[in-house]
Amino acid sequence: GGGMGKTATWMKLHSPMYDRATRHPFILGISDGSVDLSAFKRWLAQDYIFVREFVPFLASILLKACKHSDDESDMEVLLGGMAALSDELAWFRKEASKWDVNLAGVIPQKANMDYCSFLQSLMLPEVDYAVVITAFWAIETVYQESFSLCLHSSSKTPEELMETCQRWGNTSFGHYCRSLQKIADRCLEKAPSDIIKRAEEAFIRVLEHEINFWNMSFAE
Ligand code: HMH
């Protein structure tokens, strides 16, 4: 106990990359109102595919929590996340119809397929719980921090994008990310050094994939 957790240390240590993931031009464009709506639609369609892949990913983390976690409250936090995913997928379908985006016809782009392959590699049973919970915390936190920027009083987020920004930028999603961070830090505190190293690498990989994912919104 005491002092800074591993996750906070890594956010500081890798802050240039962390900032590129959480203050991407796509997000800055939403928050200053200059965003191209076709970029938003591209992001929406690709993210639906990604979030669908999130279901088996989170299921694999739940399984590891059952087997390896020494704290029963992990399960509650993760189950809450799983329940939220069902609502989230329904929200994507509703939002897509509002923007005339045909989700059935979406072709996953390379950055998305690469990110989904990375998730699949983390689903393997031999990947440690501490590593996957760190990756999961990072994935959720990048969205929380990015979209909460669009909710600041100084931002000029277009009204029709507010619901999207609230979905990930709201304070209760912020608390959820904090809970995930506490789980990750607790696991990392007692993890051997090779696992800690792998968790840090997973954190960096997540940031790279998130940056590439945002970049997709600008590609034609
Ligand atoms: C690419 N990262 C991406 N999509 C998401 N929906 C989240 C993170 C948060 O769930």
Side-chain angles (χ1 to χ4, degrees):
M4 203 186 259
K6 275 279 178 297
T7 55
T9 308
W10 294 338
M11 280 195 276
K12 265 193 168 213
L13 189 61
H14 304 290
S15 62
M17 196 184 270
Y18 185 76
D19 291 349
R20 279 167 61 219
T22 54
R23 287 154 193 279
H24 189 274
F26 174 68
I27 285 294
L28 299 179
I30 293 176
S31 68
D32 70 14
S34 69
V35 66
D36 174 7
L37 291 178
S38 66
F40 177 79
K41 289 188 201 181
R42 273 195 294 274
W43 164 81
L44 184 75
Q46 293 296 318
D47 211 42
Y48 175 69
I49 296 172
F50 180 81
V51 171
R52 283 174 64 115
E53 193 64 31
F54 231 50
V55 177
F57 176 57
L58 186 46
S60 77
I61 301 176
L62 267 165
L63 203 60
K64 285 169 188 174
C66 290
K67 287 184 178 165
H68 308 293
S69 173
D70 47 16
D71 190 331
E72 287 174 23
S73 68
D74 288 15
M75 189 59 66
E76 280 171 52
V77 174
L78 295 170
L79 261 183
M82 190 62 110
L85 272 183
S86 129
D87 176 69
E88 191 158 304
L89 288 167
W91 175 83
F92 269 101
R93 289 186 284 267
K94 191 200 76 183
E95 193 69 10
S97 78
K98 165 177 149 187
W99 293 96
D100 270 321
V101 171
N102 172 26
L103 291 177
V106 179
I107 298 158
Q109 291 188 30
K110 187 178 182 295
N112 200 357
M113 288 193 286
D114 288 349
Y115 204 173
C116 289
S117 305
F118 173 68
L119 292 189
Q120 276 154 19
S121 73
L122 293 175
M123 288 181 220
L124 298 172
E126 61 265 33
V127 183
D128 201 89
Y129 180 55
V131 175
V132 294
I133 198 72
T134 299
F136 186 56
W137 155 75
I139 294 168
E140 297 289 52
T141 298
V142 166
Y143 261 44
Q144 205 282 325
E145 188 143 346
S146 298
F147 283 111
S148 64
L149 192 78
C150 307
L151 300 177
H152 282 175
S153 51
S154 56
S155 62
K156 300 182 185 68
T157 300
E159 179 55 36
E160 64 270 34
L161 302 184
M162 281 302 280
E163 213 180 281
T164 299
C165 300
Q166 264 147 8
R167 173 152 284 278
W168 290 281
N170 75 77
T171 49
S172 109
F173 192 70
H175 289 141
Y176 172 63
C177 291
R178 282 269 165 206
S179 304
L180 294 176
Q181 184 172 21
K182 285 194 189 113
I183 298 172
D185 281 333
R186 190 199 73 230
C187 292
L188 291 165
E189 217 169 290
K190 52 194 177 198
S193 60
D194 62 316
I195 298 292
I196 296 174
K197 194 79 215 142
R198 270 179 231 164
E200 183 178 7
E201 276 160 16
F203 171 67
I204 296 166
R205 290 289 92 76
V206 165
L207 298 181
E208 287 172 350
H209 283 298
E210 288 291 338
I211 294 164
N212 293 339
F213 201 93
W214 292 132
N215 284 342
M216 247 183 339
S217 64
F218 293 131
E220 286 305 311

